[in-house]
Amino acid sequence: MERLLGVTQVLLELLAKPGKARTARLTITDEGVDVNGDGFRWGEITRIQYRAIDQHVNGAYMHTSFTLGVGDARHAATFMMFSGTTGALKTKVDHATRTAFHERWARAADLLEHRAGVRLAADAVAAVHGGAVAEMAGLRLDGAGVHKGGLFRRSIAWAEYAGVRRESMYLHLLARRGDKAKSRIQVHNGAWNVTVLPRVLAALTPGGGK
């Protein structure tokens, strides 16, 4: 797809390695998102992703990865920034870079959410309410509940759904059993549209959309 630059208004531009001649670039405009020349128009985006993760080894901070991704029905593209440590022994956390990257990543994530995520959530809810099946973050959503396929198949009926619990690697979908809520379905936090999923599930729970 052509680059989405030209006369459009640039809302935000990110460089994976500022100051370097050759670096990955993400540009968000009022028309869509461009990742290294690969353009996605807002109305055609069906997948989004954003994650910020601190990586540690044996309790020692190594780096923070900031991920942003978009995709349509045909393909997808991912952009990443990394901040790490400084000093002779690489033991000093580079807070300046990490803070700057986090602030710009959060602005980009907010744009993705408001210009694509809100629509994707509304479309999924409308599809299920209309009797269709919605696919999101590798799960199937229908009038009966939420379903995970594959070898370890799991389902949660809407009447049993008790919310989510997010951990470092997985988003846990909770099912109510008596007065307790336990994890029944796990979705990797790197899955497409996983950030949109909790809002959709809440809206599809009886009384959740009121």
Side-chain angles (χ1 to χ4, degrees):
M1 183 179 292
E2 74 278 8
R3 292 182 66 89
L4 301 180
L5 299 177
V7 297
T8 62
Q9 179 184 0
V10 175
L11 305 176
L12 181 65
E13 185 171 69
L14 302 181
L15 298 176
K17 297 179 179 179
K20 301 293 184 179
R22 297 177 61 85
T23 183
R25 183 188 305 267
L26 178 142
T27 306
I28 301 178
T29 72
D30 56 4
E31 188 176 351
V33 181
D34 184 283
V35 182
N36 296 324
D38 202 358
F40 302 82
R41 301 184 185 280
W42 289 120
E44 299 173 351
I45 291 175
T46 58
R47 292 178 282 172
I48 63 172
Q49 180 187 91
Y50 47 88
R51 303 175 68 199
I53 303 176
D54 289 339
Q55 301 286 347
H56 296 81
V57 175
N58 295 328
Y61 171 80
M62 300 301 293
H63 67 264
T64 303
S65 61
F66 301 90
T67 303
L68 297 155
V70 291
D72 55 26
R74 296 175 297 171
H75 67 304
T78 302
F79 170 85
M80 298 186 72
M81 300 182 295
F82 294 90
S83 65
T85 53
T86 63
L89 300 178
K90 295 293 184 181
T91 57
K92 181 180 178 181
V93 179
D94 186 359
H95 288 292
T97 300
R98 182 166 65 164
T99 300
F101 278 3
H102 186 276
E103 189 274 334
R104 293 175 65 78
W105 167 87
R107 288 172 57 193
D110 188 64
L111 287 169
L112 292 184
E113 176 64 28
H114 284 85
R115 290 179 174 255
V118 171
R119 170 179 53 81
L120 295 176
D123 288 349
V125 172
V128 175
H129 282 166
V133 174
E135 303 278 348
M136 181 163 288
L139 305 179
R140 291 175 51 253
L141 315 178
D142 60 23
V146 54
H147 316 280
K148 181 177 182 179
L151 182 61
F152 301 102
R153 298 181 180 180
R154 296 287 189 276
S155 292
I156 302 176
W158 294 123
E160 298 178 328
Y161 176 69
V164 300
R165 183 179 72 244
R166 190 180 297 278
E167 296 181 351
S168 59
M169 291 294 292
Y170 293 97
L171 179 73
H172 294 262
L173 278 58
L174 309 178
R176 187 178 296 104
R177 289 293 188 183
D179 59 351
K180 296 183 179 180
K182 296 185 177 181
S183 174
R184 183 175 299 174
I185 295 176
Q186 298 80 42
V187 182
H188 195 279
N189 283 325
W192 289 103
N193 293 333
V194 70
T195 55
V196 181
L197 181 62
R199 186 179 341 131
V200 174
L201 296 176
L204 291 172
T205 304
K210 299 180 181 180

